[in-house]
Amino acid sequence: MVEFDLRRLRFLREFEERGTLGAVAAALGYSPSAVSQQLAVLEREAGATLLEKSGRGVRLTDAGWVLARHARVLLATAEAASADLAALHDEVRGTVRAGGLQSAARRLLVPAVARTMAAHPRVRVEVLELELEQALPELRLGAADLVVGDEYDGHPRPRPGGLRFEAVYEEPLRLVLPAGHPLAAPGGPVPIAALRDDVWATSSKGTGHYQALIGTCRALGGYEPDLRHLAYDAEVQLELVRSTGAVALLPSLTLPPDDPALAVRDVAETRVGRRLVVVTRAGRQAPALTAFLTAVREQAASLRAGQ
């Protein structure tokens, strides 16, 4: 009977997900040569060729795909065993690795960490700022335990298998104009169609926010927006509005409470919104993750109460 080392199976699973030895090395903190050596040992253990040359890199063989599929099951079983053992302790303890985009990290994850520290001092929570596009591979591979992403009206996210999605918070998107903008003076809602000639600041390409802004301008205004400024950081987008006269469409959680240089207005045509979605792996959860997820839900309820 073949005896597999779970650590080396994780290298294979990482390669299946990430596609290159360099990407696996960067994710796990090894050199590419060390990753290659570990996979070579796994090949000897399996008695089969798992990787083959492909152009300037390597790819999985048929045997590699088969073992990678079983590696997913074995690693998930090991994680479930760890969760069951952790549940035997009288005190909740363990490590939770949580990731989220900037506004979710600041307004949802960080307060949830404080709640968890107060209720369960033996739980260690590590927070990473990640966009959902970056975070889902980390979640599937076990490098993260919980991710908070966003989902915009009219632009639903894919729901990959093996993950659990839970919407915990909804909020409107609001137009942000320079205080001196001609459409800011009346004080009421502003039509998207009236901003056809304005310069926009939004998030970087490939993000849900970027796609949502394009879709909103097309659907409500019938035009392609001038997306001249792209930044992940909402604070950078707000500074572009203040300093350059650009306009933006931002979630309420990203907005300052009161800024005389900005005019925050509702969208006139219809409500445009987004949801914050908590994503975890399907299956049994360790008590530490359950405790932190409870704190995230409590913080989301607190945010809803303050809307």
Side-chain angles (χ1 to χ4, degrees), residues 85-94 117-123 287-288 291:
L85 289 172
L88 297 176
H89 292 290
D90 293 332
E91 186 179 21
V92 178
R93 63 180 71 181
M117 290 173 62
H120 305 285
R122 299 294 297 275
V123 173

Side-chain angles (χ1 to χ4, degrees), residues 175-178 181 195 198-202 213 240-241 245-249:
L175 287 166
V176 186
L177 316 176
H181 193 287
L195 299 172
D198 282 83
V199 171
W200 290 84
T202 189
L213 177 57
L240 285 163
V241 176
V247 298
L249 181 67

Side-chain angles (χ1 to χ4, degrees), residues 151-155 167-175 189-192 212 215-217 219-220 249-253 265-276 303-304 307:
E151 188 173 65
Y152 291 83
D153 289 350
H155 299 273
V168 296
Y169 184 74
E170 294 190 27
E171 62 177 334
L173 300 185
R174 307 197 67 196
L175 287 166
V190 172
I192 291 288
T216 298
C217 290
L220 301 182
L249 181 67
L250 288 168
S252 295
L253 285 184
R265 300 289 183 264
D266 291 329
V267 174
E269 290 92 343
T270 187
R271 184 188 186 278
V272 181
R274 76 160 180 175
R275 289 161 296 286
L276 293 183
L303 289 174
R304 288 194 298 273
Q307 279 184 326

Side-chain angles (χ1 to χ4, degrees), residues 108-131:
L108 195 61
L109 289 182
V110 172
V113 171
R115 288 174 181 266
T116 303
M117 290 173 62
H120 305 285
R122 299 294 297 275
V123 173
R124 172 190 172 97
V125 182
E126 302 172 358
V127 174
L128 297 171
E129 185 181 326
L130 293 170
E131 291 287 334

Side-chain angles (χ1 to χ4, degrees), residues 47-179:
T49 301
L50 304 177
L51 300 174
E52 62 185 4
K53 287 285 186 181
S54 177
R56 300 176 65 182
V58 293
R59 65 185 178 189
L60 291 175
T61 63
D62 289 344
W65 284 110
V66 168
L67 187 55
R69 184 174 70 248
H70 287 288
R72 290 198 298 269
V73 176
L74 292 170
L75 291 167
T77 301
E79 183 178 18
S82 296
D84 288 345
L85 289 172
L88 297 176
H89 292 290
D90 293 332
E91 186 179 21
V92 178
R93 63 180 71 181
T95 298
V96 177
R97 293 151 298 185
L101 66 161
Q102 183 197 59
S103 58
R106 187 175 72 247
R107 302 293 301 278
L108 195 61
L109 289 182
V110 172
V113 171
R115 288 174 181 266
T116 303
M117 290 173 62
H120 305 285
R122 299 294 297 275
V123 173
R124 172 190 172 97
V125 182
E126 302 172 358
V127 174
L128 297 171
E129 185 181 326
L130 293 170
E131 291 287 334
L132 191 59
E133 292 80 8
Q134 303 169 282
L136 286 185
E138 305 301 314
L139 187 62
R140 286 195 293 266
L141 290 167
D145 302 304
L146 178 149
V147 170
V148 180
D150 54 8
E151 188 173 65
Y152 291 83
D153 289 350
H155 299 273
R157 295 275 193 181
R159 297 286 195 267
L163 299 177
R164 182 183 294 117
F165 292 76
E166 178 186 351
V168 296
Y169 184 74
E170 294 190 27
E171 62 177 334
L173 300 185
R174 307 197 67 196
L175 287 166
V176 186
L177 316 176

Side-chain angles (χ1 to χ4, degrees), residues 96 284-295 297:
V96 177
R284 289 193 293 278
Q285 294 178 343
L289 177 56
T290 299
F292 183 66
L293 183 54
T294 297
R297 291 173 179 140

Side-chain angles (χ1 to χ4, degrees), residues 177-178 181 198-201 228-229 236-247 261-262:
L177 316 176
H181 193 287
D198 282 83
V199 171
W200 290 84
R228 197 172 303 181
H229 307 301
V236 173
Q237 295 180 45
L238 290 170
E239 189 58 34
L240 285 163
V241 176
R242 295 185 191 98
S243 302
T244 72
V247 298
L262 301 175

